[in-house]
Amino acid sequence: ECRGGICGPPAEIEYEQNFESLDAMGESALADDRWLVFGNVFDGVTGAYRYGYGSFPAPNGGAAFSAIASGQGGPDQGEQQLSIYNDYNNTDHANGHRIESNVFRERRIAANDVGKTLLFSFDAKRGNINDPEDPLCPCTSVAFAFIKTLNPAAGFATTNLIQEETTDIAETWVRYTLRLEIDAGLLNQLLQVGFTSTATRYQPSGVFYDNLEVGSVPTP
């Protein structure tokens, strides 16, 4: 079996989600599926880090972070999808600062993860992101999918960041896979998989995702 460019034994799947069984009207639907959010704010002029906030349970709908969408799928995406966008509740949009909105699931890296390659696969398509009709705002939104590891013993410093930019992807669904080799140095660190958008001045930032799968195979 071949997954994400790695061929060998079948992957051990730890998480799958196509969003069909989640209550699209339930405010806690994504939180109940263990999705979290975290915001970071960067100065709109210098790029310097200003502050962060979170982690909080991921919302479903409203003006911030995430929602279960419908009607955006193709033959393989069903009726419901995941929509990821910026935190438009943060009033620093109006101040021209850049808000990085992260939506993710996380867990600790355990001993039985060592020697494996984590695979994070998903379908994605472009949503409502950036406004080419707004010449007064050269403030492009960007979007990424990611695998991240953080070290709690070092102030939660980021030790790995594997990304796939999804800003300018197609308006039709495409499959992507990210991969991370897990070695003994990552034991007991936090593992996060998810999506992020960065925007300012209330510019649109939406991207759709579906058919998520997190699994692992022995590292070749």
Side-chain angles (χ1 to χ4, degrees):
E1 181 179 358
C2 296
R3 290 175 178 264
I6 300 176
C7 299
E12 299 177 15
I13 304 301
E14 64 181 77
Y15 175 73
E16 292 180 287
Q17 186 56 265
N18 62 13
F19 302 98
E20 298 301 305
S21 64
L22 301 190
D23 179 6
M25 304 303 295
E27 293 183 2
S28 67
L30 292 171
D32 292 344
D33 198 41
R34 296 175 52 198
W35 286 88
L36 300 168
V37 300
F38 195 99
N40 292 302
V41 179
F42 299 86
D43 190 277
V45 175
T46 67
Y49 185 74
R50 294 179 62 87
Y51 62 91
Y53 52 101
S55 301
F56 304 121
N60 176 28
F65 291 103
S66 53
I68 297 172
S70 62
Q72 297 292 333
D76 299 322
Q77 286 76 40
E79 295 296 323
Q80 297 187 169
Q81 300 80 41
L82 176 64
S83 176
I84 300 295
Y85 46 90
N86 210 249
D87 179 9
Y88 298 109
N89 284 335
N90 190 322
T91 57
D92 265 330
H93 268 278
N95 296 323
H97 299 313
R98 292 187 66 78
I99 291 87
E100 178 192 87
S101 300
N102 297 275
V103 184
F104 58 94
R105 299 177 91 253
E106 72 175 15
R107 67 169 177 85
R108 293 270 182 171
I109 295 175
N112 62 3
D113 293 315
V114 175
K116 297 178 181 178
T117 296
L118 186 89
L119 303 175
F120 176 33
S121 300
F122 54 90
D123 300 344
K125 79 166 187 175
R126 184 184 176 96
N128 179 21
I129 182 168
N130 294 318
D131 183 0
E133 304 302 322
D134 186 358
L136 299 180
C137 186
C139 43
T140 304
S141 302
V142 293
F144 292 88
F146 66 84
I147 301 173
K148 183 186 299 184
T149 59
L150 303 102
N151 187 356
F156 294 93
T158 299
T159 52
N160 285 281
L161 179 58
I162 313 299
Q163 296 187 110
E164 177 76 40
E165 185 168 3
T166 55
T167 307
D168 295 317
I169 59 174
E171 295 182 1
T172 55
W173 290 95
V174 179
R175 188 77 174 165
Y176 297 90
T177 298
L178 304 181
R179 57 191 61 80
L180 171 69
E181 294 183 9
I182 300 176
D183 58 32
L186 294 176
L187 187 63
N188 294 320
Q189 293 193 21
L190 284 178
L191 170 69
Q192 297 179 349
V193 297
F195 309 101
T196 187
S197 74
T198 302
T200 189
R201 298 199 183 279
Y202 302 101
Q203 284 291 290
S205 59
V207 179
F208 296 108
Y209 302 95
D210 207 346
N211 294 329
L212 278 55
E213 183 180 272
V214 180
S216 59
V217 296
T219 299

